[in-house]
Amino acid sequence: MDNSGCRRRRQRVVLFPIPFQGHINPMLQLANILHSNGFSITILHTNFNSSYTSNYPHFTFRPILDNDPKVNNLSKLGSRGAGDILSGVVLLNQYGEESLRQELDQMLMASKQEQEPIVCLITDALWYFTQSVADTLKLPRIVLRTSSLLCFLVFASVPFLDDQGYFKQVNSLFDEEIIDSDLKNIILASDENNFKKAGSSKSVKDLEERVLEIPVLKVKDISKMKIKGQTDPSAKILANMVTQTKASSGIIWNSFKELEEPELEKIHKEFPIPSFLIGPFHKYFPASFSSLLKPDRSFMTWLDEQAPNSVLYISFGSASQMEKQDFMEVAHGLANSKQKFLWVMREGFVKGSEWIEELPDGFLDLVGERGRIVKWAPQQEVLAHRATGAFWTHSGWNSTLESICEGVPMICSPFWGDQPLNARFVSDVLKVGVYLENGWERGEIADTVRSVMVEEEREDIRERAMCLKEKVNVSLMKGGSSYESLGSLVGYISSL
Ligand code: UDP
């Protein structure tokens, strides 16, 4: 979709993604969307995720920040999984300001000489430190939020929900040592006084209760976010993200109006800056170009041979990890379901294991008879395949959107963060999936997999999923909500 032609080719937009797969994909897709609408593109990127740059010869890439020798911890980042990257995000937010300012300053001067003015900086919402840098350089900053509007509203409500007692007895991500304790102290040490102590006097809530203020959610959805309350280090990150998003020149959402209409109304009220819902981004350009891992395609011949809607696709995203005992439940549940499957298992996905060595005896015989296991798949292609009947997902927002776009029903097993919110939204609001909300138990897993895969029983879910797929397509067509919003965004950036 090209709303503009080449008229704006000589305006440059600088984009800065967070180095998680689920954040890189939408940012690079957005970059492609803007490029095809006439803008030149520079991507600022951290060193440890530079593998995909050769797929974008039409962009300029500039490595920044994490090679700064002044920041010791940063030199070690990149190889130890999600917590490691999360640590990097926290540290760069803490220490990155001066380096980014110098970098952007140089780029702004060069762009004037090249007569290709940089018109704005687009950063992931989690790069909250970039707002003050943009302000001092008088460069408008637009925020890309890579998850749902609902999730952002919930994140913005953490202090209020805490005061209402919704976070009692929650384990924090930090308790699980996803982020090390030194870093936790760094986060807590800065402007501590701005954060109220937790300590709601409200009693512990019943986990099955609906959240009065956000009735879409149950109390347990909030607890599964793994935020301990407003004094939790991750709550502090979110609070900064919300404040600096409010201070920005606009928000771009990877969502579409028809999906989240009530939430959009609230966003307009609570965040009175321009909002652009132009998603789903991957419908313009696929995510595989920005994959950090090489997709395995060796199973495609096998998938081609399978009957329509007969294969369960399983992937729990790029960053989640599972305990050994839960992994055993998944494997047994899957075996007992008697359904065909394609299972993405990243190296290191099972805590304390290299790859699939913990699989129960005999399971590998199944793989061959009725399944395949791969380390990374071309997910959008798999979801679009006629043999794929359902998607067992961790409910990351990209995966959720990718499933919605192909009309594929979901089984939702969220781990943390926005995932439990997405899972509830998919199962209770959109009703295009089933939420496995009692954890990992082989009997329930086998029953749920069977019920979603056996067509007669789940025709209702399948019909709604197809209906939603149609809505996506309409929103992207000329006159549709995402199409129009993209036109507004292009006009807005051009006018900055
Ligand atoms: N993905 C992929 N191949 C896989 C698993 C995931 O290409 O085998 C992609 C998927 O298409 C999505 C992204 O990785 O675009 C995962 O993002 P999501 O927001 O769903 O979850 P996260 O990894 O951020 O938890």
Side-chain angles (χ1 to χ4, degrees), residues 21-23 25 287 291 313 315-319 344 375-380 394 396-400 402 419:
Q21 186 72 75
H23 292 244
N25 286 353
S291 213
Y313 171 60
S315 166
F316 299 123
S318 63
V344 174
K375 291 180 180 170
W376 194 249
Q379 180 161 302
Q380 289 161 30
H394 70 308
W397 187 242
N398 294 289
S399 295
T400 302
E402 288 161 14
Q419 298 158 12

Coordinates of all heavy atoms in Angstrom, one line a residue, residues 21-23 25 287 291 313 315-319 344 375-380 394 396-400 402 419, ligand 1:
Q21 N 12.9 -10.0 19.8 CA 12.3 -10.4 18.5 C 10.8 -9.8 18.3 O 10.5 -9.3 17.3 CB 12.2 -12.0 18.4 CG 11.7 -12.5 17.1 CD 12.7 -12.3 16.0 OE1 13.7 -13.1 16.0 NE2 12.6 -11.3 15.1
G22 N 10.0 -9.9 19.4 CA 8.7 -9.4 19.3 C 8.6 -7.9 19.2 O 7.5 -7.4 18.9
H23 N 9.7 -7.2 19.4 CA 9.7 -5.7 19.2 C 10.4 -5.4 17.9 O 10.1 -4.4 17.3 CB 10.4 -5.1 20.4 CG 9.6 -5.2 21.7 ND1 9.1 -4.1 22.4 CD2 9.2 -6.3 22.4 CE1 8.5 -4.5 23.5 NE2 8.5 -5.9 23.5
N25 N 10.5 -7.2 15.1 CA 9.6 -7.5 14.0 C 8.7 -6.3 13.6 O 8.7 -5.8 12.5 CB 8.8 -8.7 14.2 CG 9.6 -10.0 14.0 OD1 10.8 -9.9 13.7 ND2 9.0 -11.1 14.4
A287 N 7.3 -10.8 8.8 CA 8.3 -10.7 10.0 C 9.6 -11.4 9.7 O 10.6 -11.2 10.3 CB 7.6 -11.1 11.2
S291 N 14.1 -11.9 11.4 CA 14.2 -13.0 12.3 C 15.7 -13.1 12.9 O 16.6 -13.0 12.1 CB 13.9 -14.3 11.6 OG 13.3 -15.2 12.5
Y313 N -0.2 -26.2 15.5 CA 1.1 -25.5 15.5 C 1.4 -25.0 16.9 O 0.5 -24.3 17.5 CB 1.1 -24.3 14.5 CG 2.3 -23.4 14.6 CD1 3.6 -23.9 14.4 CD2 2.2 -22.0 14.9 CE1 4.7 -23.1 14.5 CE2 3.3 -21.2 15.0 CZ 4.5 -21.7 14.8 OH 5.6 -20.9 14.9
S315 N 4.0 -22.8 19.4 CA 5.2 -22.0 19.7 C 4.9 -21.1 20.8 O 3.8 -20.5 20.9 CB 5.5 -21.2 18.4 OG 6.4 -20.2 18.8
F316 N 5.9 -21.0 21.7 CA 5.7 -20.2 22.9 C 6.6 -18.9 22.8 O 7.1 -18.4 23.8 CB 6.0 -21.0 24.2 CG 5.0 -22.1 24.3 CD1 5.4 -23.4 24.5 CD2 3.6 -21.9 24.3 CE1 4.5 -24.5 24.6 CE2 2.7 -23.0 24.5 CZ 3.2 -24.3 24.6
G317 N 6.9 -18.5 21.6 CA 7.6 -17.2 21.4 C 9.1 -17.3 21.5 O 9.7 -18.3 21.6
S318 N 9.6 -16.1 21.5 CA 11.1 -16.0 21.4 C 11.8 -15.9 22.7 O 13.0 -15.9 22.8 CB 11.4 -14.7 20.5 OG 11.0 -13.6 21.2
A319 N 11.1 -15.6 23.8 CA 11.8 -15.3 25.0 C 11.4 -16.1 26.2 O 12.1 -16.2 27.2 CB 11.5 -13.8 25.4
V344 N 7.5 -25.7 17.8 CA 8.7 -24.9 17.8 C 9.3 -25.0 19.2 O 8.7 -24.5 20.2 CB 8.5 -23.5 17.4 CG1 9.8 -22.6 17.6 CG2 7.9 -23.4 16.0
K375 N 13.5 -25.9 15.7 CA 14.1 -24.9 16.6 C 13.5 -23.5 16.3 O 13.4 -22.6 17.2 CB 15.6 -24.8 16.5 CG 16.2 -26.0 17.1 CD 17.7 -26.0 17.0 CE 18.3 -27.3 17.5 NZ 19.8 -27.4 17.3
W376 N 13.1 -23.2 15.1 CA 12.4 -21.9 14.8 C 11.7 -22.2 13.4 O 12.2 -22.9 12.6 CB 13.5 -20.9 14.6 CG 13.0 -19.5 14.6 CD1 13.1 -18.6 13.5 CD2 12.4 -18.7 15.7 NE1 12.5 -17.4 13.9 CE2 12.2 -17.4 15.2 CE3 12.1 -19.0 17.0 CZ2 11.6 -16.4 16.0 CZ3 11.6 -18.0 17.8 CH2 11.3 -16.7 17.3
A377 N 10.6 -21.6 13.3 CA 9.8 -21.8 12.1 C 9.4 -20.5 11.4 O 9.4 -19.4 12.0 CB 8.5 -22.5 12.4
P378 N 9.1 -20.5 10.1 CA 8.6 -19.3 9.4 C 7.1 -19.2 9.8 O 6.2 -19.7 9.2 CB 8.7 -19.6 7.9 CG 8.8 -21.1 7.8 CD 9.3 -21.7 9.1
Q379 N 6.9 -18.6 11.0 CA 5.6 -18.7 11.7 C 4.4 -18.2 10.8 O 3.3 -18.9 10.8 CB 5.6 -17.9 13.0 CG 4.3 -18.0 13.7 CD 4.4 -17.6 15.2 OE1 5.2 -18.2 15.9 NE2 3.7 -16.6 15.6
Q380 N 4.5 -17.1 10.1 CA 3.4 -16.6 9.4 C 3.0 -17.6 8.2 O 1.9 -17.7 7.9 CB 3.7 -15.2 8.8 CG 3.7 -14.2 9.9 CD 4.5 -12.9 9.4 OE1 4.5 -12.6 8.3 NE2 5.1 -12.3 10.4
H394 N 1.9 -18.7 23.3 CA 2.1 -18.1 24.6 C 1.4 -16.7 24.7 O 1.5 -16.0 25.6 CB 3.6 -17.9 24.8 CG 4.2 -16.8 23.9 ND1 4.0 -16.8 22.6 CD2 4.9 -15.7 24.2 CE1 4.6 -15.8 22.0 NE2 5.2 -15.1 23.0
G396 N 1.9 -14.0 22.9 CA 2.6 -12.7 22.5 C 1.7 -11.9 21.5 O 0.9 -12.5 20.8
W397 N 1.8 -10.6 21.5 CA 0.9 -9.8 20.7 C 1.1 -10.1 19.2 O 0.1 -10.2 18.4 CB 1.0 -8.4 21.0 CG -0.1 -7.5 20.3 CD1 0.2 -6.5 19.4 CD2 -1.5 -7.6 20.5 NE1 -1.0 -6.0 19.0 CE2 -2.1 -6.7 19.6 CE3 -2.3 -8.4 21.2 CZ2 -3.5 -6.5 19.5 CZ3 -3.7 -8.3 21.1 CH2 -4.2 -7.3 20.3
N398 N 2.4 -10.2 18.8 CA 2.6 -10.5 17.3 C 2.0 -11.8 17.0 O 1.3 -11.9 15.9 CB 4.1 -10.5 17.0 CG 4.7 -9.2 17.2 OD1 4.5 -8.3 16.4 ND2 5.5 -9.0 18.3
S399 N 2.2 -12.8 17.8 CA 1.7 -14.2 17.5 C 0.1 -14.1 17.4 O -0.5 -14.7 16.6 CB 2.1 -15.2 18.5 OG 3.5 -15.4 18.4
T400 N -0.4 -13.4 18.4 CA -1.9 -13.3 18.4 C -2.4 -12.6 17.1 O -3.4 -13.1 16.5 CB -2.3 -12.4 19.7 OG1 -1.8 -13.0 20.8 CG2 -3.8 -12.2 19.8
E402 N -0.9 -12.4 14.3 CA -0.6 -13.3 13.1 C -1.7 -14.4 13.0 O -2.1 -14.8 11.9 CB 0.8 -13.9 13.2 CG 1.9 -12.8 13.0 CD 3.3 -13.1 13.5 OE1 3.5 -14.3 13.8 OE2 4.1 -12.2 13.6
Q419 N 1.1 -11.0 28.1 CA 0.5 -12.3 27.5 C -0.8 -12.7 28.2 O -1.7 -13.1 27.5 CB 1.6 -13.4 27.6 CG 2.8 -13.1 26.7 CD 4.1 -13.9 27.1 OE1 4.0 -14.8 27.9 NE2 5.2 -13.5 26.6
Ligands
UDP1 N1 8.3 -16.3 15.4 C1 8.9 -16.9 14.3 N2 9.2 -18.2 14.3 C2 9.0 -19.0 15.4 C3 8.4 -18.4 16.6 C4 8.1 -17.1 16.5 O1 9.1 -16.2 13.2 O2 9.3 -20.2 15.3 C5 8.0 -14.9 15.3 C6 6.5 -14.7 15.3 O3 6.0 -14.8 14.0 C7 6.4 -13.3 16.0 C8 7.6 -13.2 16.9 O4 8.5 -14.2 16.5 O5 6.4 -12.3 15.0 C9 7.2 -13.4 18.4 O6 6.6 -12.3 18.8 P1 5.5 -12.3 19.9 O7 5.0 -11.0 20.2 O8 4.4 -13.3 19.5 O9 6.2 -13.0 21.2 P2 7.6 -12.7 22.0 O10 8.6 -13.6 21.3 O11 7.8 -11.3 21.9 O12 7.3 -13.2 23.4

